[in-house]
Amino acid sequence: MNKISVCSTLLAALLLSACDDDSVEVVQVEKPVITTETEIKVVEVPVIVEVPAGSASAMQVGTRPNFLIQDMEGSALKTKLEQCANGPFYKTDFSIGHRGAPMQFPEHTKESYIAAAKMGAGILECDVAFTKDKELVCRHSQCDLHTTTNILATYLGQKCTTPFVPGDPENGIAAQAMCCTSDITLAEFKTLKGKMDAANSMATTVEEYMDGTANWRTDLYSSRGTLMTHAQSIELFKSLGVKMTPELKTPSVAMPFDGFTQKAYAQKMIDEYKAANVDPKNVWAQSFNRDDVVYWIKENPEFGAQAVYLDDRYEAQAADNETMVSAEQIVHNPELLSPTMEELAADGVNIIAPPLWMLLTEEGGEIVPSPYAKAAKAAGLGIITWTLERSGHLASGGGWYYQSINGSLYGETMIDNDGDTFKVLDVLAKEVGVLGVFSDWPATTTYYASCMGMPASI
């Protein structure tokens, strides 16, 4: 309780002015006033973050994850995954759309990107090549237009580096063609339509050559394949609410190309993100060329901080520059690789991205992290890997992407059914500790990440 003085002078003055009577005596009176004490407290209130355009109800994982789960052998992992059949599923950066969703959609097309985003991929990839007039477009290779587009069926086919030459099946002579983005202008590129990446090597006609899609893929969604420029992909990805991982493709032509240097090429890609006001934290620039990554680190540090070195040292020579490093040595003796993990870290590289087989090995009948994976982590490098769902049926071992765990290099196979996709994914996530996984069908990685409660993409 407090006692305060209340001055009545103002009230009196008002009364006096109202009656205009100079004989009125003004008296100041003190009156006790009872007040309650005010206590101020700071209360912490939990903040609920709503994930825009990536809430559980927006994600469509479809039926394939369940198909894979039912194909798994009985295990605690299978039981856990079965319990997540009804979701919720949400967008996550762990799920990276490799060229979109090319298992069923023509790669690097608007339709493929939208499909991947619908499946919960938090990050989408545009592989970046350049046209004859030095404009950037989304293509996996500078010279893949003959297998990924309809160029051979158009008048532009005559502008190709190697126009179509029929094969001779009777004598075992393959058909020939090579069409590059640098063969045509941007305006010409935009007239093309994307198709599934494939070719019939023994074709005698263009129509036969273009009809080569693998039987485990489909042409069902190839009726409309909208090609994208790099700048268009940025705007599309922004509208889809996803992050971005562009890969600067190694040129198939001699550089400089008509005065266009490698550094200008690397800078132009970054400049298109700056022009679009994209937060560098939402961009993971990639390259197999170490010099590109180092250039970004030095000249564009805000983007270089999470630039990704795509590790192709599996094709490189050992440190003595004489002995070729075998696949088995890469997995078990990463110290033979040049540059070393420590040298990459010293360059400022923070993230490395090898194919998934380099991260895994077999031990005691189990899939375990490889010495390569352990060496990368010991050097402080974050790891992203590629590419899940790109090998067709796994019953036959999965091919190149699984060579370190399917008996191709040593030991017994750990891969004998399609459901082993989840077994591999579980080791990559929990034991190797990868930051994300590129997939040709992002629904699978989205299902896994959502089921395991991995962070949502925001």
Side-chain angles (χ1 to χ4, degrees):
M1 182 183 297
N2 296 318
K3 184 180 291 185
I4 63 174
S5 295
V6 178
C7 181
S8 303
T9 306
L10 180 58
L11 178 57
L14 290 172
L15 292 172
L16 288 173
S17 63
C19 61
D20 194 22
D21 189 342
D22 293 338
S23 65
V24 176
E25 182 181 1
V26 178
V27 179
Q28 183 170 309
V29 179
E30 286 192 355
K31 296 176 61 179
V33 179
I34 299 176
T35 64
T36 58
E37 293 184 355
T38 302
E39 182 177 0
I40 300 176
K41 291 183 177 181
V42 177
V43 180
E44 293 186 2
V45 179
V47 177
I48 299 175
V49 177
E50 182 177 343
V51 182
S55 60
S57 60
M59 299 299 100
Q60 303 171 8
V61 298
T63 58
R64 179 165 176 77
N66 181 67
F67 168 81
L68 296 177
I69 293 166
Q70 297 312 311
D71 204 36
M72 296 175 69
E73 298 172 358
S75 65
L77 176 61
K78 178 175 182 177
T79 300
K80 170 66 175 176
L81 293 170
E82 285 178 325
Q83 293 171 348
C84 298
N86 296 319
F89 305 111
Y90 52 85
K91 181 173 60 177
T92 167
D93 292 350
F94 182 78
S95 181
I96 306 173
H98 179 239
R99 315 181 203 174
M103 177 184 281
Q104 295 191 28
F105 290 83
E107 64 184 45
H108 292 309
T109 62
K110 180 179 180 180
E111 293 76 16
S112 186
Y113 290 140
I114 292 174
K118 287 286 186 181
M119 294 182 209
I123 304 173
L124 295 182
E125 177 189 44
C126 167
D127 290 331
V128 179
F130 57 84
T131 61
K132 186 175 183 179
D133 45 355
K134 309 179 194 69
E135 297 297 333
L136 304 185
V137 295
C138 297
R139 285 293 92 197
H140 173 61
S141 169
Q142 186 172 22
C143 295
D144 71 1
L145 295 181
H146 52 290
T147 63
T148 64
T149 75
N150 66 335
I151 190 171
L152 293 177
T154 76
Y155 76 96
L156 294 173
Q158 294 306 309
K159 293 190 174 186
C160 292
T161 298
T162 304
F164 176 73
V165 178
D168 182 357
E170 291 185 5
N171 294 303
I173 300 175
Q176 298 180 48
M178 186 170 75
C179 304
C180 307
T181 56
S182 51
D183 291 334
I184 59 177
T185 65
L186 177 62
E188 291 169 331
F189 175 84
K190 288 182 176 180
T191 67
L192 301 177
K193 185 181 75 173
K195 74 176 192 66
M196 296 300 287
D197 183 14
N200 178 356
S201 62
M202 288 295 139
T204 59
T205 68
V206 166
E207 291 73 22
E208 289 178 351
Y209 186 83
M210 293 173 63
D211 185 21
T213 303
N215 60 13
W216 52 272
R217 288 181 171 165
T218 180
D219 286 313
L220 186 62
Y221 304 110
S222 295
S223 59
R224 185 174 72 254
T226 308
L227 301 191
M228 306 286 292
T229 69
H230 177 237
Q232 287 175 330
S233 78
I234 293 173
E235 294 307 316
L236 176 64
F237 296 170
K238 287 168 66 176
S239 71
L240 294 172
V242 299
K243 299 170 187 175
M244 312 168 196
T245 182
E247 179 191 335
L248 193 74
K249 300 306 298 186
T250 301
S252 300
V253 295
M255 298 293 279
F257 174 78
D258 190 24
F260 193 45
T261 66
Q262 184 68 28
K263 288 184 178 179
Y265 178 32
Q267 187 61 51
K268 186 177 179 69
M269 188 184 85
I270 297 300
D271 285 344
E272 294 198 348
Y273 288 95
K274 292 180 178 179
N277 295 315
V278 177
D279 189 333
K281 294 180 181 178
N282 292 334
V283 180
W284 286 262
Q286 317 167 70
S287 180
F288 280 104
N289 185 342
R290 178 188 176 194
D291 290 341
D292 292 337
V293 177
V294 172
Y295 173 82
W296 291 325
I297 291 169
K298 292 182 177 179
E299 302 299 327
N300 301 272
E302 69 278 22
F303 287 90
Q306 53 189 33
V308 180
Y309 173 57
L310 294 164
D311 194 354
D312 64 350
R313 290 177 295 170
Y314 53 83
E315 295 179 342
Q317 290 185 323
D320 60 13
N321 204 32
E322 294 179 0
T323 306
M324 186 67 72
V325 180
S326 69
E328 185 172 354
Q329 286 176 315
I330 289 170
V331 173
H332 291 283
N333 303 100
E335 67 277 3
L336 296 176
L337 294 171
S338 179
T340 65
M341 300 291 187
E342 291 73 20
E343 287 172 336
L344 288 174
D347 281 340
V349 175
N350 292 318
I351 304 174
I352 193 170
L356 62 86
W357 64 266
M358 290 168 64
L359 297 172
L360 304 172
T361 188
E362 179 268 339
E363 185 177 289
E366 300 291 337
I367 301 174
V368 297
S370 68
Y372 172 102
K374 294 176 182 177
K377 298 292 282 188
L381 298 172
I383 303 172
I384 294 173
T385 193
W386 45 277
T387 301
L388 207 70
E389 302 271 58
R390 192 165 179 80
S391 303
H393 297 295
L394 299 192
S396 58
W400 186 85
Y401 286 95
Y402 296 87
Q403 59 186 290
S404 63
I405 51 175
N406 65 7
S408 295
L409 301 182
Y410 47 81
E412 59 181 307
T413 182
M414 300 288 98
I415 305 295
D416 59 15
N417 63 68
D418 286 348
D420 284 334
T421 298
F422 276 119
K423 185 166 69 173
V424 168
L425 196 54
D426 194 53
V427 176
L428 290 171
K430 293 180 179 177
E431 298 185 47
V432 176
V434 298
L435 302 173
V437 177
F438 281 92
S439 174
D440 276 13
W441 200 246
T444 302
T445 43
T446 297
Y447 187 107
Y448 176 87
S450 299
C451 186
M452 299 301 168
M454 300 178 76
S457 176
I458 56 174

